[in-house]
Amino acid sequence: MRLFITTAVAALAIAGAAAAQTAGPAPAPAAAPAAPASGQYISVSGGFIGKADYDYGFANGYRFEGDVDAGGQGAVAWGSALGNGWRGEVALGYRSQKSSGVLTTNGGAQFDFDGGKVTTFSIDLNGYYDFPVAGPVRPYLGAGVGVAQVKIDDGMLDDKGDALTLQGIAGASVAVSPRVSLFAEGRYQFTGAIKVKTTSGAGDKEQKLNMTGPGGLVGVRFAF
C-alpha cells in the first residue's frame, strides 16, 4: 500500500510539472482537422484484458496453478502535449477478471478451484509519440510504467500486494472535432512481482507472482 500511495503522489507531481510547461498563449491551429497539437487533455476508455496465469507454493510443499480468464478493464487519464508529437499522461486503471486453479498436494492429488477473482487498481505514467500524418486519423506508439495493487481471491489465497506495471501500446486516434478525438489501441501488459503470503499448517510463505497478457481499449479524448 505504501508503494502504491508513494507512486501516486509522485505521478501527480510530474503531471503537474508537465501541465505547467504547456501554460501560456494557445498555439495556432493546425491545418489538418486533428485535435490540438499542444495543451492538456482528459481521456476515458474501456476494453478487455486478456488471459494470464500464475502459480505459487505453500510451506508444506503444496502447489497452486491459477488461470485468469479474460475480463474487463477501464482507465481515466490526464495528459499534456510535450511538443514535436510527444505527449505524456497519468492514468488510473481498473481490471477485473475471474480465476480458477488446481491445487496439487505432495502426494500428487489434485483439487480444482473455480469462482475466484483477480482485481487490479493501477496508476501509470505513459508516454506517446503521435506520428505526423495528414488527415484526421493519427497512429501512435507508447509505453508506460507504474504501480498496481492486485487482489487475488482464488479459493486458496486471499491476499493483495503491490507490483510494478509495464506496458507497450500501439493505436490510432481520429479527430471528430478540433478538441475531441476517438481512439483505439492494443496493449501488452505486464504486472509483477506481486508480493503475497500463503498460509498452511507448516507456516507462512512469502513469494512473488507475475501476470502478463494482451489487452485493448477504446475511448474518447477531450483536449482543453
Side-chain angles (χ1 to χ4, degrees):
M1 176 66 75
R2 181 178 302 172
L3 174 62
F4 187 82
I5 295 174
T6 301
T7 304
V9 173
L12 292 176
I14 293 172
Q21 292 179 354
T22 62
S38 63
Q40 302 173 53
Y41 65 86
I42 294 175
S43 69
V44 180
S45 58
F48 77 96
I49 180 70
K51 294 183 177 181
D53 57 66
Y54 62 95
D55 65 88
Y56 56 84
F58 294 83
N60 61 4
Y62 287 20
R63 297 291 304 176
F64 187 89
E65 296 181 357
D67 291 312
V68 183
D69 294 336
Q73 68 170 325
V76 177
W78 169 38
S80 178
L82 304 175
N84 297 320
W86 294 96
R87 57 186 167 91
E89 68 178 27
V90 179
L92 299 176
Y94 174 76
R95 309 173 202 165
S96 179
Q97 298 168 268
K98 294 182 179 180
S99 68
S100 59
V102 177
L103 176 69
T104 303
T105 68
N106 293 331
Q110 293 187 330
F111 301 91
D112 294 330
F113 288 82
D114 294 309
K117 190 174 184 179
V118 176
T119 55
T120 304
F121 291 92
S122 65
I123 180 166
D124 297 283
L125 292 173
N126 298 323
Y128 300 90
Y129 180 73
D130 296 299
F131 291 93
V133 298
V137 179
R138 180 167 296 180
Y140 60 85
L141 293 175
V145 60
V147 65
Q149 186 177 86
V150 184
K151 178 174 176 56
I152 301 173
D153 184 2
D154 57 20
M156 288 300 299
L157 176 66
D158 186 359
D159 197 6
K160 59 184 177 182
D162 295 343
L164 175 72
T165 64
L166 300 171
Q167 54 190 350
I169 307 167
S173 62
V174 56
V176 296
S177 80
R179 294 189 177 274
V180 179
S181 296
L182 304 178
F183 65 90
E185 61 188 37
R187 297 187 172 195
Y188 190 76
Q189 298 170 288
F190 167 83
T191 304
I194 308 163
K195 298 179 181 179
V196 297
K197 179 189 293 185
T198 58
T199 301
S200 67
D204 297 335
K205 183 176 182 179
E206 295 185 351
Q207 55 208 294
K208 300 177 182 180
L209 314 180
N210 295 326
M211 294 185 188
T212 303
L217 290 170
V218 295
V220 59
R221 190 159 61 236
F222 304 94
F224 60 94

